[in-house]
Amino acid sequence: MPTMSASSATVHGPRSPTPVEQLGSLLRETFGFDRFRPYQAEVCRLVTAGNDVLLVMPTGAGKSLCYQLPGLARGGTTLVLSPLIALMEDQVAALCARGIRAERIHSGRARLDARAACRKYLDGDLDFLFIAPERLSVPRFPEMLAKRKPVLIAIDEAHCISQWGHDFRPDYRLLGERLPLLRPAPVIALTATATPRVQEDIVAQLEIPDSQRLIHGFRRDELAVEIAELRRADRAVAVEAALDEPSHRPAIVYAPTRKETEALAERLGERFPTAPYHAGMPNKMRDRVQAAFQRGDLEVVVATIAFGMGIDKRNIRTVIHTALPGSVESYYQEIGRAGRDGEPARAVLLWDWADRRLHELFFETGYPEPTVLRRIFDALGERPRRAAEVRGAARLDEATFERALEQLRIHGGGRKVGEDDWVRGKDGWRDAYTAQRRHKQAQLEEVTALATGTTCRMCALVRHFGDRDDAERRCGRCDLCAPAEAWIRRFRAATDSERTVALRILGALAERDGQGTAQLFKVTCPDHRLDRRGYERVLDGLVRADRVRLEDDAFSKDGRTIRFRRAFLTDAGWIASTAGDGDIEIAAEPRLTPPRRAPAARSTR
Ligand code: ADP
Ligand code: MG
């Protein structure tokens, strides 16, 4: 067994290594890895020494090792909470294959097997016990676990505990309540996607205020991010032009609907081996597409976001999004599939404001006003009531009712009993639902802010995930750091009018720094030298040239929050202002090179 208890020091020979000293040999001998991946050693050391840790690293960074190694080094059983049965099964199988004693308890297991796992746990015959969080609500189960305290508690996918996270699971809430029973073991919470707000929430709910927060690895040096505003009608041509260059493939193209994946795949299929991929296709078909892409028989897959989980292809050169994604988290996850081999790769996002309005529309239908849920809640009682009857009492049309009832159920305000009968749930649904709605709205704001950003894209992404230490160094590759290398976005020299307005902006700010951008438009273009759009393009150019810095601000008016931006001169801006230098680059019409006629390529569709 790999678990060597550090306390069993022998009298003869040299002293046994301490748990921390064992980490290197465990890594090599038990896991068969030559060396730690970045940050793993530091995290393992902290956890082994008994510190609470919140670890935020991207998917694939190797977070599992950061609890598995310390668990073995500490000697005893590590309790792992994990939200997905499939994930749990994989992890347990992988550990067992390495000769480590691991078991799992979840709803998919026969009672007898679960009981056997409990017995092994209580007898101290396990190195790892994986459990699903809802187990914590099973009467006496947490007490049973507490009879033999774990040496480490690992909470995988910890963002599920937060209603600010993208995958909130109410069962995770029980953790805060039940964890004290299982302490004093150190707690390590692991996740790939925790914005600063979610991080706060995780730490607060798990009651690990003194935990070390390690947020690492979000910067991707080989990845050039390009974001271009482009009308929907022009996007297919742009994708075709972008992928026409052989070195830009293999590629994944993410499209928002099944229909669009099929249409675009058909079009691209005339030039290179391409297939669509979406959840509406039969499983067998999807597996075939994935395997063919993996092998290299397909060069391009046009997919909905259903594609990508479990894809392990290291040489993807390009990931294109043909519409604004729903959140920065999912966007980052998807572009992260490019350039895994460390060679240069590019992520291209095509969007415009119509995309954003579409998201708003989805939001309004998917997340009805809390007052709508309230009507259903009021129509429910202790006595089970048929759904149709409830709908009549709440006076809602069928579609709205279905969605509102589902949201009410998710947030605990209603429970299904029997076939189609419903009873009232807990009163607390309203706060949870309101928070979830606000979170959805915030995600849309964040992704729009990324798309309209005027400074380094990689810095914006790194900052989004809360890594403040690494958020300043410009990547030198994105469309804002290296405009000349952009595929679709284009820049041109400023015209005379634009130069004039640029100098007026610098001059106005030299006189009074921090003016609001709307005010600044009025004072710099009273003669309509440029219209508002033209002025915004100049301001944009000044920010990109690092002469002006924008800051978000807000004020309240009639109970509403109005957001606006203030402009400030940078040092370079001062110098340009006094030197009368208004030379900047202005965003131009996107490049839609009509693709060359290519020889017809084999299509595997
Ligand atoms: P995460 O949970 O961060 O998404 P995993 O823990 O699942 O990532 O690890 C991803 C892959 O990296 C796994 O196949 C794992 O075996 C491998 N891995 C982890 N650490 C190392 C290492 N030090 N050397 C080589 N491979 C590693
Ligand atoms: Mg993981």
Side-chain angles (χ1 to χ4, degrees):
M1 266 301 87
T3 41
M4 298 181 272
S5 169
S7 53
S8 62
T10 41
V11 199
H12 323 283
R15 74 175 172 88
S16 314
T18 66
V20 170
E21 287 165 352
Q22 284 179 39
L23 291 171
S25 56
L26 276 172
L27 177 76
R28 283 180 297 274
E29 286 152 27
T30 306
F31 288 88
F33 298 147
D34 317 331
R35 63 181 71 83
F36 284 107
R37 291 240 185 102
Y39 312 110
Q40 282 179 332
E42 180 195 357
V43 181
C44 287
R45 245 179 267 127
L46 281 167
V47 176
T48 307
N51 294 283
D52 293 336
V53 164
L54 169 62
L55 177 63
V56 188
M57 293 205 297
T59 304
K63 289 187 290 299
S64 315
L65 194 84
C66 297
Y67 69 79
Q68 291 171 351
L69 218 46
L72 294 177
R74 286 175 66 83
T77 311
T78 297
L79 204 58
V80 187
L81 280 111
S82 175
L84 291 174
I85 293 180
L87 208 68
M88 230 185 272
E89 291 289 330
D90 285 353
Q91 302 266 17
V92 169
L95 287 169
C96 289
R98 298 197 151 108
I100 298 165
R101 302 167 302 173
E103 263 293 359
R104 71 282 189 208
I105 299 179
H106 55 65
S107 58
R109 299 207 76 197
R111 185 165 301 183
L112 228 54
D113 294 335
R115 200 171 300 154
C118 286
R119 179 106 321 271
K120 283 194 219 163
Y121 173 79
L122 289 174
D123 289 346
D125 286 341
L126 288 180
D127 301 311
F128 293 92
L129 177 64
F130 287 70
I131 61 174
E134 75 268 8
R135 290 284 111 183
L136 293 178
S137 62
V138 173
R140 291 198 304 278
F141 185 75
E143 288 77 10
M144 184 282 292
L145 291 178
K147 279 191 202 151
R148 191 180 182 103
K149 306 245 176 190
V151 291
L152 174 65
I153 302 167
I155 296 161
D156 207 3
E157 313 293 341
H159 59 276
C160 293
I161 203 173
S162 171
Q163 47 191 342
W164 297 108
H166 64 92
D167 195 14
F168 171 50
R169 286 166 193 250
D171 287 330
Y172 259 64
R173 293 263 153 172
L174 293 168
L175 275 170
E177 211 175 285
R178 305 291 151 85
L179 224 44
L181 217 57
L182 306 170
R183 292 281 240 158
V187 169
I188 175 170
L190 313 108
T191 171
T193 64
T195 60
R197 181 167 28 200
V198 174
Q199 291 167 23
E200 291 302 328
D201 208 12
I202 294 172
V203 165
Q205 293 204 46
L206 296 178
E207 293 180 36
I208 46 169
D210 301 326
S211 57
Q212 306 268 343
R213 293 195 205 184
L214 304 164
I215 302 141
H216 289 308
F218 286 96
R219 178 176 288 277
R220 292 283 309 275
D221 283 322
E222 67 289 352
L223 194 59
V225 178
E226 173 174 347
I227 304 182
E229 206 175 319
L230 196 63
R231 289 183 313 147
R232 218 157 238 264
D234 291 335
R235 294 180 199 168
V237 184
V239 173
E240 210 172 359
L243 298 182
D244 196 44
E245 162 63 41
S247 68
H248 294 175
R249 309 191 297 264
I252 304 177
V253 181
Y254 284 107
T257 64
R258 296 172 186 185
K259 232 169 93 187
E260 281 168 87
T261 63
E262 288 179 352
L264 191 54
E266 178 139 9
R267 177 174 183 150
L268 298 178
E270 287 170 16
R271 310 179 66 81
F272 3 89
T274 304
Y277 184 104
H278 57 70
M281 286 160 47
N283 275 343
K284 228 194 210 142
M285 190 76 148
R286 285 197 286 171
D287 291 347
R288 264 176 40 201
V289 170
Q290 180 154 341
F293 185 59
Q294 191 90 42
R295 278 196 309 272
D297 292 348
L298 283 171
E299 289 187 37
V300 182
V301 172
V302 188
T304 58
I305 52 173
F307 183 72
M309 285 293 232
I311 237 289
D312 182 27
K313 190 171 167 69
R314 307 191 61 78
N315 64 339
I316 295 170
R317 298 272 68 85
T318 307
V319 171
I320 301 183
H321 285 76
T322 67
L324 191 68
S327 72
V328 177
E329 286 85 6
S330 55
Y331 177 65
Y332 182 86
Q333 193 97 339
E334 284 144 22
I335 65 174
R337 297 183 178 124
R340 285 272 168 86
D341 55 6
E343 297 296 315
R346 181 166 286 255
V348 178
L349 165 56
L350 307 174
W351 79 290
D352 72 356
W353 290 93
D355 292 3
R356 173 165 167 133
R357 282 193 291 279
L358 207 60
H359 276 296
E360 285 168 354
L361 208 68
F362 286 142
F363 173 76
E364 281 158 24
T365 47
Y367 290 83
E369 292 280 346
T371 52
V372 176
L373 273 67
R374 172 99 233 173
R375 271 150 69 182
I376 301 178
F377 184 73
D378 288 344
L380 293 172
E382 310 228 327
R383 190 178 56 80
R385 213 173 167 189
R386 290 260 122 160
E389 204 185 312
V390 177
R391 177 160 87 82
R395 296 157 178 273
L396 292 168
D397 67 81
E398 196 159 344
T400 310
F401 176 74
E402 292 283 316
R403 279 188 294 261
L405 183 64
E406 175 62 4
Q407 291 290 9
L408 197 63
R409 184 192 67 75
I410 291 172
H411 295 92
R415 261 187 314 117
K416 192 170 177 173
V417 288
E419 190 68 353
D420 197 22
D421 293 321
W422 292 75
V423 294
R424 181 181 280 196
K426 294 203 191 84
D427 221 353
W429 65 269
R430 199 193 162 92
D431 288 347
Y433 181 60
T434 311
Q436 176 77 12
R437 270 185 112 233
R438 241 187 284 129
H439 167 64
K440 280 277 158 198
Q441 277 168 316
Q443 281 188 323
L444 191 52
E445 292 304 330
E446 286 160 4
V447 81
T448 312
L450 176 71
T452 55
T454 41
T455 51
C456 175
R457 307 285 190 194
M458 192 50 74
C459 290
L461 287 170
V462 166
R463 201 175 302 121
H464 176 85
F465 289 99
D467 184 351
R468 296 187 189 93
D469 300 341
D470 188 29
E472 299 308 321
R473 182 166 54 87
R474 285 187 158 225
C475 76
R477 287 176 181 272
C478 69
D479 60 313
L480 297 170
C481 286
E485 287 163 33
W487 291 357
I488 291 163
R489 259 201 115 172
R490 271 200 312 174
F491 300 90
R492 55 170 172 76
T495 62
D496 284 344
S497 292
E498 286 164 343
R499 254 194 301 274
T500 305
V501 171
L503 287 172
R504 285 180 187 171
I505 292 173
L506 296 177
L509 291 178
E511 229 164 74
R512 193 158 64 79
D513 212 6
Q515 297 186 53
T517 56
Q519 162 73 12
L520 202 53
F521 172 61
K522 278 191 211 137
V523 301
T524 56
C525 298
D527 51 357
H528 300 286
R529 188 76 186 247
L530 293 178
D531 64 8
R532 180 69 192 250
R533 272 190 82 111
Y535 154 82
E536 292 284 350
R537 272 196 288 266
V538 171
L539 195 58
D540 233 48
L542 285 169
V543 172
R544 239 178 298 111
D546 202 21
R547 293 179 188 182
V548 168
R549 180 168 60 77
L550 297 178
E551 255 178 41
D552 290 322
D553 204 341
F555 64 88
S556 295
K557 191 182 175 188
D558 307 329
R560 283 181 34 146
T561 308
I562 314 273
R563 288 177 208 291
F564 70 106
R565 295 189 299 177
R566 293 183 184 282
F568 296 87
L569 272 191
T570 62
D571 291 347
W574 281 102
I575 295 165
S577 163
T578 47
D581 173 8
D583 279 334
I584 50 171
E585 286 190 317
I586 304 288
E589 284 299 302
R591 176 182 302 143
L592 301 171
T593 334
R596 286 171 285 115
R597 265 264 150 262
R602 186 167 46 99
S603 169
T604 55
R605 294 202 321 130

